[in-house]
Amino acid sequence: MADLNEETLTDAVIAQMASTPDPRMREVMESLVRHLHAFARDVRLTPQEWLGAIDFLTRVGQACTPYRQEFILLSDTIGLSRLVNLMDDKANRTGEATEASLLGPFYRENAPEFGHAESMATRAKGPEMILFGRILDDEGRGVPNAVVEAWQTDADGAYDLQANDPEVMDMRGRYHTDADGHYAVRTLIPLGYSIPMDGPVGAMVRQQERHGMRPAHIHVLVAADGYRELVTALYLGHDANIDTDTVFGVSESLVVNLRENLPGSPVPSLPSVRYDFRISKRAAGDTTGRVGADPSKIAAE
Ligand SMILES: [Fe+2]
């Protein structure tokens, strides 16, 4: 047998994996091995460093609970979630459809249902706002009975999972559009927040001397029968960290500003944002933009 060396090892691994029957899995694993080996050669990775990395990844896994997803946070903070979303958008987003943004680690299935302009702040208190507008198709027609799911921090910058007993749901809700595609969410003005810094990903971010902050935002997931699921978020333009989001979620088209006495607001006395979300028809084989959640549990009703 030929002795393996730094140059021949990569091909030997790929040759052994060539028996993989699933062609996509074979392609992905081949590329992964090539790039991982190239990375290790590039930085001259030492055994101690690799053991340190394995220890880090182990701790990332151990930090995960039913209420906390440290791997999504890792994927977000190194820009991988955004990259996957950008590529998915490029491949599947059509026409004027709204840009995607990150699902993030705080999404929860089975959020409570609310009526038009009903407040999803059932426990938290703070300055209120209205988010309203329409869900539109590619031709600009309203999409009736679409599910608009919103979730966000309270006015102190905490998600329900952080502020309460994790069984409690607050500051999240599911709304349905009317016959013309109108939706309205009454909520609190969200506050920007630090990503969870008490785990291994937070330690990494601190070591890199990054601020770890996300600008204030409202997560929105729009689902309707026959349409591509939209996972996005709206970012409040007044936030000081709007240009330096730790998880790279902000796009210019998703930046909004609160306005007083906005025409059409269901509660004009409250600061309001009007935003029309555009969704595309679902193409065959299209996938969800969600990283980390089970799409079967959010199908439009
Ligand atoms: Fe968030």
Side-chain angles (χ1 to χ4, degrees), residues 106 151 159 193 214 217 219:
F106 295 108
W151 67 105
Y159 282 91
Y193 61 88
R214 296 217 66 200
H217 57 275
H219 293 274

